[in-house]
């Protein structure tokens, strides 16, 4: 039987009913690491004979693609494909599909939850009370503050609407700005340097740079307001952690929040254990609604592409 590998952690325990559509189409399902992010070794062990891959955020490099001689389709259950070597996939004739926008609402709501948590110091206050201490740290209100968006696609636009409803001003930078998106006079498209300079809160909704370098590096941090909050629900690598740690320790940045890590769970817990970091375990799209939307689109894409190539 031809097989499809299933690796998203929200699906790989095998219980989502939409996976039955793949079985009903005549494919066997393989779960190399149920409930966790698979290693390269676990993936290599199951790639032989697989024609489809319902993929999560695990790294799919040229070495794995070289092993996957029968693979025809990689269907992501999310938008980002920076974990996939697209050049190697194209050279091997593998179709790569994305579930564009399926988890946008979930990620946007988490990003704004991070913004509120940092602005009102919610995790710090809750942890102090849990430890039996009455510790208060003054926060700030969002009204009149400026939100800077780096990346303003479906997620960024939703975050912008939330911010405008709170009375914030919004500056957004995107390599392909949507001129039709003008939700308020308080929303402005701007260049990256202007976004960094103006932001009281910076929210990142962008892929990593093609060269692997950080977007928020020491120079970017130096250009920002003292006490800014930086929210990262994109990828760990878009921020230079060494520069961020120095900025947190000096007070240049008041709080840094992060939801996605290069390796999950991370090899080191240095970032989430920093006292000025709010870290969550990649839960942006981890809602019933986002999982259902993303899975439906990813399964549709997978089966349609397999049918197109006769696999």
């Amino acid at each position: 039987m031809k097989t499809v590998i299933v690796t998203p952690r929200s699906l790989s325990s095998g219980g989502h009913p939409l996976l039955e559509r793949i079985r009903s189409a005549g494919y066997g399902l393989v779960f190399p690491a149920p409930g966790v992010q698979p290693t390269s070794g676990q993936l290599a062990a199951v790639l032989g004979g697989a024609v489809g891959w319902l993929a999560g955020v695990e790294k799919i490099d040229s070495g794995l693609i070289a092993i996957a001689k029968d693979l025809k389709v990689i269907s992501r259950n999310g938008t980002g494909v920076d974990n996939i070597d697209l050049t190697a996939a194209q050279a091997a004739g593998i179709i790569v599909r994305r579930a564009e926008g399926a988890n946008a609402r979930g990620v946007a709501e988490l990003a704004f939850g991070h913004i509120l948590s940092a602005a009102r110091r919610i995790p710090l206050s809750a942890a102090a009370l849990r430890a039996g201490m009455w510790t208060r740290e003054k926060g700030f209100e969002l009204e009149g503050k400026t939100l800077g968006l780096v990346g303003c696609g479906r997620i960024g636009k939703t975050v912008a609407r939330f911010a405008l409803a709170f009375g914030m001003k919004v500056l957004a930078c995107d390599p392909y700005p949507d001129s039709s998106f003008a939700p308020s006079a308080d929303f402005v498209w701007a260049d990256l340097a202007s976004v960094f300079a103006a932001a009281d809160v910076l929210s990142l909704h962008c892929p990593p740079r093609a060269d692997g370098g950080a977007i928020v590096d020491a120079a970017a941090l130096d250009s920002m307001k003292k006490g800014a909050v930086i929210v990262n629900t994109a990828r760990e690598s878009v921020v230079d952690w060494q520069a961020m740690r120095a900025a947190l320790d000096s007070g240049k940045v008041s709080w840094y929040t992060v939801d996605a890590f290069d390796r999950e769970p991370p090899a080191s817990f240095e970032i989430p254990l920093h006292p000025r970091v709010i870290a969550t375990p990649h839960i942006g799209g981890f809602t019933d609604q986002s999982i259902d939307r993303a899975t439906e689109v990813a399964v549709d894409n997978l089966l349609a592409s397999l049918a197109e190539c006769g696999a």
Side-chain angles (χ1 to χ4, degrees), residues 21-95:
R21 292 182 51 207
I22 302 175
R23 288 194 178 99
S24 296
Y27 301 96
L29 296 180
V30 177
F31 305 96
V36 297
Q37 184 172 307
T39 64
S40 291
Q42 289 170 321
L43 292 170
V46 298
L47 278 170
V51 295
W53 190 338
L54 189 56
V57 297
E58 65 281 348
K59 188 173 182 61
I60 303 175
D61 59 21
S62 59
L64 289 174
I65 289 171
I67 295 170
K69 301 296 185 183
D70 298 319
L71 191 64
K72 303 300 182 185
V73 182
I74 299 172
S75 181
R76 274 280 288 115
N77 75 328
T79 300
V81 290
D82 52 281
N83 59 312
I84 302 171
D85 188 327
L86 297 177
T87 301
Q90 183 178 28
I94 298 169
I95 300 167

Side-chain angles (χ1 to χ4, degrees), residues 132-261:
M133 297 181 293
W134 189 262
T135 301
R136 302 198 304 165
E137 182 174 312
K138 190 184 296 181
F140 64 88
E141 296 174 5
L142 298 180
E143 186 175 22
K145 298 293 186 181
T146 297
L147 172 68
L149 291 172
V150 181
C152 196
R154 295 188 190 185
I155 298 170
K157 288 174 182 175
T158 305
V159 175
R161 292 188 183 99
F162 294 162
L164 293 166
F166 271 78
M168 299 184 79
K169 296 177 173 58
V170 181
L171 266 68
C173 175
D174 192 279
Y176 306 101
D178 179 2
S179 59
S180 68
F181 184 72
S184 163
D186 287 327
F187 177 91
V188 177
W189 292 102
D191 59 69
L192 185 59
S194 298
V195 169
F196 283 143
D200 297 293
V201 179
L202 185 75
S203 193
L204 305 170
H205 305 285
C206 52
R209 284 178 16 184
D211 63 5
I215 294 170
V216 180
D217 56 14
L221 292 167
D222 286 345
S223 73
M224 295 184 68
K225 295 178 180 178
K226 181 177 175 60
V229 168
I230 299 178
V231 174
N232 181 6
T233 53
R235 291 286 187 272
E236 177 188 343
S237 57
V238 302
V239 172
D240 180 335
W241 167 244
Q242 301 305 320
M244 177 61 72
R245 183 176 59 187
L248 289 167
D249 291 344
S250 71
K252 176 69 175 181
V253 173
S254 62
W255 285 90
Y256 172 55
T257 87
V258 59
D259 182 54
F261 295 86

Side-chain angles (χ1 to χ4, degrees), residues 75-81 96-105 153-155 290 293-298 301:
S75 181
R76 274 280 288 115
N77 75 328
T79 300
V81 290
V96 178
R97 301 288 301 273
R98 304 186 298 163
E100 295 189 53
N103 62 4
R105 180 75 187 198
R154 295 188 190 185
I155 298 170
S290 284
R293 285 191 299 266
T295 303
E296 183 170 18
V297 174
N301 287 343

